[in-house]
Amino acid sequence: MILSKEYKFKGQEIYAKDLFPQLENNFLLLRIPSNTNSYQVKSSQILAQFENEGIEVGAESPIITFKREFSGEQNGIKSHILAEFLKEYKKNNIQIQEIHLEQVTPVNFKEDAIKSIDFHPKLLKRNTGSFDILVQETSGEQTRNRKVYFKYIIDAKLQAIQTSEPISGRQSVNHNNAHLVWIPFERISSPLMQESEMGKVAVRSYTPKNTIITRDRLIPKRVVKKGDKLLIGVVEDGVLLEFTLEAQKDGAVGDKIKARVIDGKKTYEVEILEEGRAKLL
């Protein structure tokens, strides 16, 4: 039998069977002050008491921590946090295995007493942190609102795009040079590239092999090169007129560039619609 580093407790008295339920002999190990929610004791002190009873026990750590267990209902809080993460990372197909909550404030409450949950959007960028909720306490005819603090840990993974070979600057990201991978959700400094963007975007600069691609590395994919022919459509009196101009610079969809009349000097400003097509501005 091995003593763990940490145990939960409700009352003030800790007995041997609280730590090892399989024991036949139950005896008092220690008393915890009533106003204490976290209590530490040397494991040697506990081991000595087991030795006095002829029971051989080991310990994981030289210090054992006892934390008071509160009866705050957490299902609604977990559901709220789960919904926030699913909404934030829907495009990255987040898969959440577990949400771990640790109540810090010593308050017992029912779910219907929760008035609000202050889970700040910045917490969605990391898998661990702290937040608070507001609960309503009733004593006789009086009611008051009280903040209850929690720590959380999210066990989840995200879908990401990873380079399968080095990619040069302004080169398109596609299934030939990148692939889908699953990564553990820990801390997100910049939004991840999404699968739907494959073939539609390019990297801003040289990107090494086996790099997870984030949005700050991306630029729109160049669909027009200087000298390319652009088909321009103009509707006049219900009639579609089309003519061709020559692009004067490279551009991506949505870029505004100069285009010149073929074999002429007159230029127009156009907006690129797609590869080979643009509209007059």
Side-chain angles (χ1 to χ4, degrees), residues 80-115:
H80 175 85
I81 295 173
L82 175 65
E84 292 296 308
F85 275 95
L86 289 176
K87 181 171 63 176
E88 179 74 10
Y89 296 103
K90 179 180 179 180
K91 294 180 179 179
N92 299 113
N93 296 322
I94 188 171
Q95 293 186 5
I96 299 177
Q97 282 71 50
E98 186 62 63
I99 298 176
H100 304 279
L101 295 182
E102 179 186 345
Q103 186 176 332
V104 178
T105 309
V107 174
N108 298 324
F109 61 89
K110 298 292 185 181
E111 191 167 304
D112 57 7
I114 299 174
K115 308 301 292 182

Side-chain angles (χ1 to χ4, degrees), residues 128-147:
T128 182
S130 59
F131 66 99
D132 64 79
I133 67 171
L134 196 66
V135 300
Q136 189 176 75
E137 290 184 324
T138 302
S139 177
E141 297 182 355
Q142 293 185 337
T143 61
R144 66 166 184 165
N145 291 331
R146 182 172 180 179
K147 282 187 177 182

Side-chain angles (χ1 to χ4, degrees), residues 6 8 67 70 74 100-105 131 149-153:
E6 183 176 301
K8 298 287 187 180
K67 291 187 176 181
F70 310 115
Q74 299 182 358
H100 304 279
L101 295 182
E102 179 186 345
Q103 186 176 332
V104 178
T105 309
F131 66 99
Y149 291 88
F150 284 85
K151 294 179 180 178
Y152 74 91
I153 299 176

Side-chain angles (χ1 to χ4, degrees), residues 15-16 23 36 40 50 82 95 103 122 129 222 229 238 247 255-256 258 273 278:
Y15 285 84
L23 289 175
T36 299
Q40 291 187 322
F50 278 101
L82 175 65
Q95 293 186 5
Q103 186 176 332
K122 68 181 181 181
R222 183 177 59 186
K229 301 298 187 292
D255 283 353
K256 298 174 177 60
K258 295 289 186 180
L273 300 176

Side-chain angles (χ1 to χ4, degrees), residues 84-85 88-89 118-126 152:
E84 292 296 308
F85 275 95
E88 179 74 10
Y89 296 103
D118 186 15
F119 198 85
H120 196 278
K122 68 181 181 181
L123 298 176
L124 297 172
K125 304 301 180 185
R126 54 182 187 265
Y152 74 91

Side-chain angles (χ1 to χ4, degrees), residues 59-225:
E60 289 184 2
S61 171
I63 298 294
I64 301 175
T65 301
F66 291 87
K67 291 187 176 181
R68 188 177 300 279
E69 186 174 18
F70 310 115
S71 59
E73 295 187 4
Q74 299 182 358
N75 289 338
I77 303 172
K78 287 187 177 182
S79 296
H80 175 85
I81 295 173
L82 175 65
E84 292 296 308
F85 275 95
L86 289 176
K87 181 171 63 176
E88 179 74 10
Y89 296 103
K90 179 180 179 180
K91 294 180 179 179
N92 299 113
N93 296 322
I94 188 171
Q95 293 186 5
I96 299 177
Q97 282 71 50
E98 186 62 63
I99 298 176
H100 304 279
L101 295 182
E102 179 186 345
Q103 186 176 332
V104 178
T105 309
V107 174
N108 298 324
F109 61 89
K110 298 292 185 181
E111 191 167 304
D112 57 7
I114 299 174
K115 308 301 292 182
S116 63
I117 301 174
D118 186 15
F119 198 85
H120 196 278
K122 68 181 181 181
L123 298 176
L124 297 172
K125 304 301 180 185
R126 54 182 187 265
N127 70 329
T128 182
S130 59
F131 66 99
D132 64 79
I133 67 171
L134 196 66
V135 300
Q136 189 176 75
E137 290 184 324
T138 302
S139 177
E141 297 182 355
Q142 293 185 337
T143 61
R144 66 166 184 165
N145 291 331
R146 182 172 180 179
K147 282 187 177 182
V148 180
Y149 291 88
F150 284 85
K151 294 179 180 178
Y152 74 91
I153 299 176
I154 303 294
D155 181 11
K157 59 181 180 179
L158 297 171
Q159 192 179 70
I161 308 297
Q162 184 180 57
T163 57
S164 50
E165 62 182 49
I167 304 179
S168 302
R170 301 188 68 83
Q171 183 180 348
S172 172
V173 182
N174 52 56
H175 289 285
N176 294 323
N177 54 27
H179 60 280
L180 292 171
V181 294
W182 287 98
I183 61 173
F185 173 64
E186 294 175 346
R187 182 180 290 270
I188 303 297
S189 57
S190 177
L192 299 169
M193 178 182 170
Q194 301 162 16
E195 182 182 10
S196 61
E197 295 176 296
M198 292 284 268
K200 301 177 183 178
V201 294
V203 292
R204 187 182 307 276
S205 57
Y206 172 80
T207 304
K209 182 180 178 180
N210 296 330
T211 298
I212 298 298
I213 304 178
T214 50
R215 297 298 303 278
D216 56 352
R217 289 180 174 269
L218 299 175
I219 58 174
K221 176 186 174 182
R222 183 177 59 186
V223 296
V224 171
K225 296 181 181 179

